[in-house]
Amino acid sequence: MGVLMSRRQTVERVQKVSLAVSAFKDGLREQPSTRRRAEAGTARQGTLEQEVQEGDEEASAGPSQPEESSASKAAWERLRDGRGVEPEEFDRANRFTPPAFIRPKRELHDDEPPDISLEQREQILNDEMCEICEVWTAESLFPCRICPRVYHDGCLRRMGYLQKDSAVEVTETAHTETGWSCYYCDNLNLLLTEEEMYSLMETLKNCKIIPESCLTLDDFLHYKHQVHKQQFERTMPEAQEEQAALQFNALDPDKKGHIEWQDFLSHESIQLLQKIRPQNALLRLLTPKERERARAAFLALDQDNDGFIGEGECRQARHTWFRKHQKEMLSCNVSISHVGPISEGSPASSRDGKSPEKILPATKQEETSIDWPGFLRENVAYILAARPNSAALHLQPLA
């Protein structure tokens, strides 16, 4: 009929046809005879009675975790599939079909150090067509600051990823230095493999965490204590509890007294990545845009061009740009290349000697020097943690 289909529609249709054919073949192969049907019916009756009896036993024993209602089960499924929160009251009329997220898989060479050159700059190119509708309309496309994908705001609304409260933020930040992260990059949980995701879900279930719920400070500290006790079989030290409280404050920038589920999930996802994967594997998660920003930050701090910066400068970069893209940057319109001057507490900017704190790390020889590969390894987790659009700091830098 001459009807053109987009690449996404073609893939979906092929998948549906393949599933239908497979189901039909399985049905023919496993179709039982009349006698076997009767035997299967009798056996199934016993199986059903067993299931009912087991269900009664589980009910009498009491739930080992918060009530597994249909809504709670659906929430766990969304968490497993990486689909995020999908409120039932959301109007689904005139919406596109949400994409199926495919979790990454670990490769054999992931633990090997990647070749990320400091001298060789990378060319940053965005896609030409909208990721959703695959149509090019030039200036009306909104680019992601992490990946090369671009989007129409109308397509994002129809997908349900752009609500009224975030529409203005996207249009204001997408073409600035702060930038905007698309729904792929905004969700740190999508960086986890299936095995890592199941491990996180098991931890959350064991600690009685209800998905898609907000956590107060007491909830957060109780969870951290349980996780520490399960992992080390001892009580969490007071110093770590204080650090956990600081992390809670970082996840609650508006001082609401609780942290949102998505922020908690992003924090736990990046924490798990730090525990399970080596730094070389984390470096392979960086996109060209992130590598180029990190390269500009290092070159701005390396003012004598010897290929090394001080440990204090590296730590200061972590507390500024790598910590989070603050909304206040919109008003001052600071360029990425100004990372050095922004870090006023760094040795590079402490030349006037007015502050005692600026005099301590006077020269690189008096402190540990860090080269470009070391700079990336030290900061890769904070670069990844800065991806979400939320104002929360999903990985609080150590003092």
Side-chain angles (χ1 to χ4, degrees):
M1 294 174 62
V3 179
L4 295 178
M5 294 188 298
S6 68
R7 182 180 60 212
R8 190 185 307 280
Q9 291 173 324
T10 304
V11 172
E12 290 178 353
R13 179 163 293 185
V14 170
Q15 290 175 341
K16 290 178 181 178
V17 172
S18 301
L19 289 173
V21 172
S22 301
F24 179 73
K25 289 181 178 178
D26 293 341
L28 290 178
R29 188 164 49 247
E30 298 176 2
Q31 187 175 12
S33 63
T34 305
R35 180 181 299 177
R36 291 174 62 187
R37 281 198 193 117
E39 294 174 354
T42 305
R44 177 160 180 74
Q45 184 178 1
T47 305
L48 288 173
E49 291 174 355
Q50 267 186 343
E51 290 177 355
V52 171
Q53 185 177 359
E54 290 174 358
D56 292 340
E57 290 176 355
E58 290 178 358
S60 62
S64 58
Q65 58 188 45
E67 292 185 7
E68 286 288 329
S69 62
S70 58
S72 179
K73 290 180 180 179
W76 283 113
E77 290 176 0
R78 287 194 292 270
L79 177 60
R80 179 197 62 202
D81 299 337
R83 287 179 290 165
V85 179
E86 294 180 7
E88 295 180 359
E89 65 273 11
F90 186 77
D91 182 13
R92 295 176 178 274
N94 299 321
R95 282 188 59 189
F96 289 132
T97 303
F101 294 112
I102 301 177
R103 292 193 175 275
K105 295 183 179 180
R106 296 292 308 277
E107 303 293 340
L108 294 176
H109 65 280
D110 278 356
D111 297 346
E112 300 175 3
D115 184 17
I116 304 177
S117 173
L118 175 62
E119 294 78 16
Q120 186 175 357
R121 309 297 292 265
E122 299 183 58
Q123 187 177 8
I124 304 300
L125 296 175
N126 288 324
D127 294 342
E128 296 182 352
M129 295 187 297
C130 174
E131 174 70 14
I132 298 173
C133 69
E134 299 180 347
V135 173
W136 177 79
T137 51
E139 295 181 356
S140 63
L141 291 170
F142 294 95
C144 174
R145 66 179 171 87
I146 305 299
C147 68
R149 301 183 184 96
V150 293
Y151 300 86
H152 294 119
D153 59 341
C155 292
L156 291 171
R157 287 191 182 92
R158 293 185 65 184
M159 289 286 290
Y161 293 113
L162 193 62
Q163 306 297 323
K164 292 181 181 179
D165 55 349
S166 59
V168 176
E169 181 180 352
V170 171
T171 55
E172 288 183 351
T173 61
H175 295 286
T176 64
E177 296 294 348
T178 300
W180 163 80
S181 296
C182 69
Y183 51 84
Y184 286 104
C185 302
D186 181 63
N187 189 355
L188 295 180
N189 185 253
L190 294 181
L191 296 175
L192 302 183
T193 64
E194 289 187 7
E195 295 80 9
E196 292 166 346
M197 186 63 240
Y198 278 113
S199 172
L200 178 58
M201 288 177 61
E202 190 69 21
T203 301
L204 296 177
K205 287 184 177 180
N206 290 339
C207 295
K208 308 296 188 296
I209 296 296
I210 302 175
E212 301 179 5
S213 62
C214 299
L215 279 77
T216 64
L217 176 59
D218 290 339
D219 297 332
F220 188 74
L221 292 179
H222 180 67
Y223 167 78
K224 290 293 186 180
H225 273 284
Q226 284 186 301
V227 171
H228 188 276
K229 193 168 185 178
Q230 290 177 7
Q231 184 176 1
F232 300 103
E233 297 183 351
R234 64 174 183 270
T235 306
M236 186 168 67
E238 185 177 351
Q240 284 188 248
E241 182 177 355
E242 293 177 357
Q243 187 63 32
L246 291 175
Q247 179 62 69
F248 178 87
N249 292 331
L251 291 171
D252 181 25
D254 298 329
K255 309 304 177 186
K256 295 179 293 187
H258 66 267
I259 55 179
E260 302 294 334
W261 167 255
Q262 194 59 39
D263 290 326
F264 171 74
L265 184 60
S266 292
H267 165 69
E268 287 303 307
S269 298
I270 197 69
Q271 287 276 90
L272 183 62
L273 285 174
Q274 278 190 299
K275 293 177 183 177
I276 293 181
R277 299 196 200 180
Q279 288 176 322
N280 289 332
L282 294 181
L283 286 172
R284 294 185 179 276
L285 298 177
L286 297 180
T287 65
K289 289 184 180 181
E290 289 174 315
R291 293 195 296 266
E292 190 60 26
R293 285 174 181 263
R295 188 178 286 110
F298 184 87
L299 292 174
L301 293 170
D302 182 22
Q303 297 189 354
D304 54 7
N305 298 320
D306 63 349
F308 292 89
I309 64 173
E311 186 178 6
E313 293 172 310
C314 179
R315 187 166 51 250
Q316 189 64 33
R318 190 179 310 155
H319 278 267
T320 52
W321 187 87
F322 293 126
R323 182 179 63 182
K324 195 70 180 176
H325 287 268
Q326 299 290 356
K327 293 183 180 180
E328 289 78 7
M329 292 178 64
L330 287 174
S331 58
C332 59
N333 194 23
V334 179
S335 172
I336 302 170
S337 61
H338 292 164
V339 173
I342 286 176
S343 307
E344 295 179 355
S346 67
S349 61
S350 57
R351 303 184 186 280
D352 52 4
K354 294 180 181 179
S355 171
E357 295 180 357
K358 297 179 181 179
I359 299 177
L360 293 178
T363 61
K364 294 182 183 179
Q365 286 74 18
E366 295 177 8
E367 60 178 349
T368 305
S369 296
I370 298 177
D371 58 4
W372 165 242
F375 176 78
L376 282 180
R377 288 193 300 270
E378 290 291 324
N379 291 293
V380 60
Y382 298 96
I383 299 175
L384 294 173
R387 286 185 177 186
N389 295 309
S390 169
L393 305 184
H394 299 99
L395 191 60
Q396 172 72 10
L398 298 174

